[in-house]
Amino acid sequence: MNKLTRVVVTGGAGYIGSHVVLALGEAGYDVLTYDNLSTGNRDAILSGELVVGDLADKDLLIKTLTEFNPAAVLHFAASIEVGESVSNPLKYYRNNSVNALNLLEALRVTEIGQMIFSSTAAVYGNPTQLPVTEEASLQPINPYGASKLMTERFLSDLALANDDFRYIALRYFNVAGADPETRLGQDYANPTHLITRALKTALGIFPQLQIFGTDYPTQDGTCIRDYIHVADLAQAHLDALRYLTSGHSSTIFNCGYGHGFSVNAVVSMAKKVTGVDFPVVETDRREGDPAALIAGCERIRKDLDWRPRFDDLEVILHTAWEWEKKLATRDA
Ligand code: UDP
């Protein structure tokens, strides 16, 4: 097997990771997923092999990397909830920063010199200018963003010190939707993200949807986010991997569409797509939420020639809705 086609994906059993594993498989890569299955599902891995392991287990990590000998590692495994990061910050610093450090040390030991890192728009905090470009100041307002920024710092310092290590950090905005062929989607025990909560409320799984804050300095008072379809994000990873393995320098790309929707707009679209007028209540702000996040996405479009195919809120909700209905049948 050609070394260039082999990649290790940490967190490949999770929501975004599993979509990327599928896309990698379809593109002809030989994939090994390394995942502790704490939130991911074995059934979500539709390509390649799985090693059930924790990033804290450095011996297993080094053994796995040595044996599989990938050209690059794509690192998804992380904790991802802003609200939880505020109440349990150490979990975030351990899972997102300390474990990433373990992975980087393992990469040095095994002489693997290319990594794609799942970062987040939360590194920007409350941006002063929208859309927010990659050069904007980095002032996270919650431990989730801070824990991811710490790892970006590890990466940039490591690449600066070693010519044989290069990376791409992808700063995700709000990832949503599901595989358009309904093979995969979000499948967590206690989902907290807006679109998933809204659709599960439409299905009657939750009694009502809460809107966290209506007094933000936005047009309708609710927070604005740039929702990106998970299949377009998966494509961005393939494009980034090709870019990195063809020898380009380390860099960072925002992943979003460059426009946003308010919570109210998402709720209206969820009601339209599902045909269900589900109950909604307005409650207090959730701690750690910035008012608005919209990606400046010139760089990824230009440098990676990234061409999104699902830049449409209705399509995002429709694919997620098809997936939620499938899950509901499975779990019935
Ligand atoms: N949100 C909400 N109700 C929910 C979940 C989220 O009003 O049940 C809001 C949240 O406060 C934020 C936006 O929806 O303004 C997006 O939140 P989400 O958790 O989906 O993603 P995040 O931006 O935190 O990564």
Side-chain angles (χ1 to χ4, degrees), residues 178-213:
D179 171 49
E181 291 176 40
T182 327
R183 293 165 294 183
L184 290 170
Q186 203 172 87
D187 188 8
Y188 295 135
N190 293 303
T192 62
H193 289 116
L194 176 63
I195 288 179
T196 310
R197 296 288 301 193
L199 298 178
K200 285 191 190 293
T201 308
L203 282 169
I205 294 168
F206 298 124
Q208 60 190 24
L209 179 76
Q210 292 179 297
I211 293 186
F212 298 136

Side-chain angles (χ1 to χ4, degrees), residues 8-19:
V8 163
V9 177
T10 75
Y15 168 48
I16 301 169
S18 64
H19 285 79

Side-chain angles (χ1 to χ4, degrees), residues 80-83 120 122 144 173-175 191-198 208-213 216 222-225 227 263 267 283 285-286 288-291 293:
I80 56 158
E81 289 171 19
V82 167
T120 169
Y144 170 63
F173 283 65
N174 284 63
V175 189
T192 62
H193 289 116
L194 176 63
I195 288 179
T196 310
R197 296 288 301 193
Q208 60 190 24
L209 179 76
Q210 292 179 297
I211 293 186
F212 298 136
Y216 284 96
T222 64
C223 289
I224 292 174
R225 295 288 182 273
Y227 295 91
V263 174
V267 171
T283 60
R285 290 181 178 198
R286 187 175 71 177
D289 278 341
L293 278 172

Side-chain angles (χ1 to χ4, degrees), residues 234-255:
Q235 184 59 49
H237 285 77
L238 266 69
D239 295 343
L241 184 60
R242 216 167 293 130
Y243 187 83
L244 191 66
T245 54
S246 63
H248 286 90
S249 310
S250 298
T251 188
I252 292 169
F253 295 113
N254 283 342
C255 296

